[in-house]
Amino acid sequence: MTVTPEGEARPKRKRMPRAEREHQMIETAEAVFAELGYATASMDEIAERVGVSKPMLYEYFHSKEGLLLACIRHSRAELRSVTEHAVTGAGDAEEAIRRGLHAYFVFIREHRQAWSLLRQEMTLLGTSAADEIEATRQQQTDLIAALMSGYFASSPRLQVEASAEFVVGACERMAIWCERHEEVTPELATDYAMDMVWNGLRHRAGA
């Protein structure tokens, strides 16, 4: 408790746990980067929106690029989590792939700010952030390749890897297309993607 000049007791403000504060900073930074673009966004703007000092932002992330890297890693971890959860318990290859695609398109729709960061790759070439974006893409490729390997055991490893690369690249472009067509729901996007992807894979699953 502190005492005001008028002699009134004032409750001491509870300090936010570090992990919670860091999460708040990352979410706010995602919004600012998405709204203004990485080059234009400033640490002053982010600090003001969070309600902390700029030195505190630097204490947590060291630099604006460090904060961007934290945002991308946070998004990558969330995307991995929702994808893995979606495919758990799938009955067959078709269901697993459909579930994984749907989880991806739902993530893009519900995490527009995070997705916006991943689309800024061309403006970040030559930076650590571009490497982190590619790591996100590689994460999804590896997840899909592992999933396919489980269902298409007879397929050569290189063919499985090539198929996974194709799925990730195609879905990334389709997600960009979906931004221009708000009427395309995650369910419809999944149907469109499955129409192309599954027709090329079903023979390997004996469908």
Side-chain angles (χ1 to χ4, degrees), residues 35 57 63 181 206:
E35 178 186 336
L57 274 184
S63 65
H181 297 275

Side-chain angles (χ1 to χ4, degrees), residues 5 23 27 40 62 80 83 94 98 107 114 141 152 158 163:
H23 182 73
E27 284 197 330
T40 305
H62 308 298
R80 182 185 184 93
T83 303
E94 182 177 8
R98 177 176 288 278
F107 180 87
T141 301
F152 310 134
L158 285 178
S163 298

Side-chain angles (χ1 to χ4, degrees), residues 166-181:
F166 174 82
V167 171
V168 170
C171 288
E172 189 174 318
R173 288 303 308 171
M174 190 165 183
I176 294 173
W177 175 78
C178 286
E179 286 188 292
R180 302 196 300 270
H181 297 275

Side-chain angles (χ1 to χ4, degrees), residues 56-68:
M56 180 177 283
L57 274 184
Y58 281 101
E59 178 187 339
Y60 276 66
F61 303 104
H62 308 298
S63 65
K64 186 170 80 165
E65 184 175 346
L67 179 52
L68 177 63

Side-chain angles (χ1 to χ4, degrees), residues 65-132:
E65 184 175 346
L67 179 52
L68 177 63
L69 295 180
C71 290
I72 295 172
R73 289 166 185 158
H74 174 72
S75 298
R76 182 164 70 239
E78 283 195 319
L79 180 57
R80 182 185 184 93
S81 177
V82 299
T83 303
E84 290 181 329
H85 179 75
V87 302
T88 300
D92 56 27
E94 182 177 8
E95 182 184 1
I97 293 172
R98 177 176 288 278
R99 284 188 184 187
L101 292 175
H102 183 255
Y104 174 78
F105 289 118
V106 168
F107 180 87
I108 297 304
R109 174 64 67 94
E110 295 182 351
H111 298 75
R112 294 178 187 270
Q113 294 171 352
W115 169 240
S116 176
L117 291 182
L118 301 180
R119 286 198 297 94
Q120 293 186 33
E121 183 175 17
M122 293 306 296
T123 66
L124 301 169
L125 288 177
T127 70
S128 298
D131 294 335
E132 291 293 336

